[in-house]
Amino acid sequence: MAKEVLEPRWILLYIPVYIYGIWDSYRTSIDLNKVYLLAEHENANFINFKITSMEINYLDKRKPWVAVMWSFFMPGAGQVYIHRIVVAFFLVTWTIIIVYFSRVLESVDLLVSGDINYAKEILNPQWLMFLPSVYFFSIYDAYVNTVENNKLFDSEQRTYLKKKYQNKHFNLPLNLIKRSK
């Protein structure tokens, strides 16, 4: 079935793009992990509020299940919820393009109307195959980035409270520490 769907004119482009995507993701994650370890070790400051021409972005705590729910309803909506506007724009744009060229909405309309044969006939499987990738990436990305933003928020709050509200000379009595555990 895969042979029937693959476009021979594009087959040589699928593989290099896929391999490059894997390699670049791995390389970037290694580099970002090194930067994270250095920043964590140095207790580096980071920007928690930023206004640009593209967006107003601020660090706050979000619920991962809400991001997943919005991405489930429409790929890219979970990214809007967590203020990743550029990623959301690309996800929404590609979802619309894929849905349009796969003719999935027309097919669903015909399926509901009872014309099952014509509904199957008008579907474009080459475009339809992209939909699960975009859909599940959107859900996964929204969840992971919400969890990581929450960790960043907790770290920022911890650092802020230590700097602003903890007296350097105050020692918590040892018996109070044992009771709280």
Side-chain angles (χ1 to χ4, degrees):
M1 284 177 63
K3 281 187 194 177
E4 293 173 9
V5 173
L6 289 175
E7 174 64 45
R9 295 177 295 172
W10 290 79
I11 190 76
L12 293 178
L13 291 178
Y14 294 146
I15 296 168
V17 168
Y18 183 70
I19 290 172
Y20 175 79
I22 292 171
W23 172 79
D24 188 53
S25 298
Y26 175 77
R27 181 191 57 81
T28 304
S29 64
I30 295 295
D31 290 343
L32 289 176
N33 284 338
K34 289 176 184 176
V35 171
Y36 167 77
L37 290 174
L38 287 173
E40 186 73 21
H41 179 68
E42 295 176 357
N43 202 13
N45 291 332
F46 51 87
I47 299 169
N48 59 5
F49 185 82
K50 186 176 180 180
I51 298 176
T52 65
S53 60
M54 295 285 287
E55 62 191 359
I56 298 175
N57 205 348
Y58 55 92
L59 190 60
D60 61 340
K61 202 147 184 144
R62 300 287 178 146
K63 295 179 177 147
W65 69 268
V66 174
V68 167
M69 178 197 67
W70 280 114
S71 289
F72 180 78
F73 289 130
M74 175 62 184
Q79 283 71 17
V80 171
Y81 173 71
I82 59 174
H83 305 289
R84 297 191 62 197
I85 304 301
V86 175
V87 176
F89 173 76
F90 283 110
L91 282 170
V92 168
T93 302
W94 276 109
T95 301
I96 291 169
I97 290 169
I98 292 167
V99 165
Y100 177 79
F101 283 112
S102 69
R103 300 179 73 179
V104 72
L105 294 179
E106 294 171 70
S107 181
V108 168
D109 182 43
L110 290 168
L111 186 65
V112 170
S113 300
D115 196 355
I116 297 170
N117 291 330
Y118 190 59
K120 289 191 313 188
E121 188 179 312
I122 68 166
L123 276 177
N124 185 340
Q126 290 178 355
W127 280 98
L128 190 62
M129 284 177 50
F130 289 117
L131 200 54
S133 299
V134 170
Y135 204 85
F136 290 116
F137 168 77
S138 175
I139 292 170
Y140 172 78
D141 181 68
Y143 176 79
V144 168
N145 281 295
T146 305
V147 169
E148 291 302 319
N149 283 345
N150 286 345
K151 288 179 187 177
L152 192 60
F153 178 81
D154 290 341
S155 174
E156 190 272 336
Q157 287 292 297
R158 187 171 39 255
T159 303
Y160 177 80
L161 291 173
K162 281 181 182 178
K163 283 181 182 178
K164 300 291 182 182
Y165 292 104
Q166 186 172 345
N167 187 342
K168 295 178 185 177
H169 305 293
F170 179 74
N171 290 324
L172 192 61
L174 196 56
N175 60 356
L176 288 178
I177 295 173
K178 288 180 183 175
R179 275 190 236 152
S180 66
K181 291 181 180 180

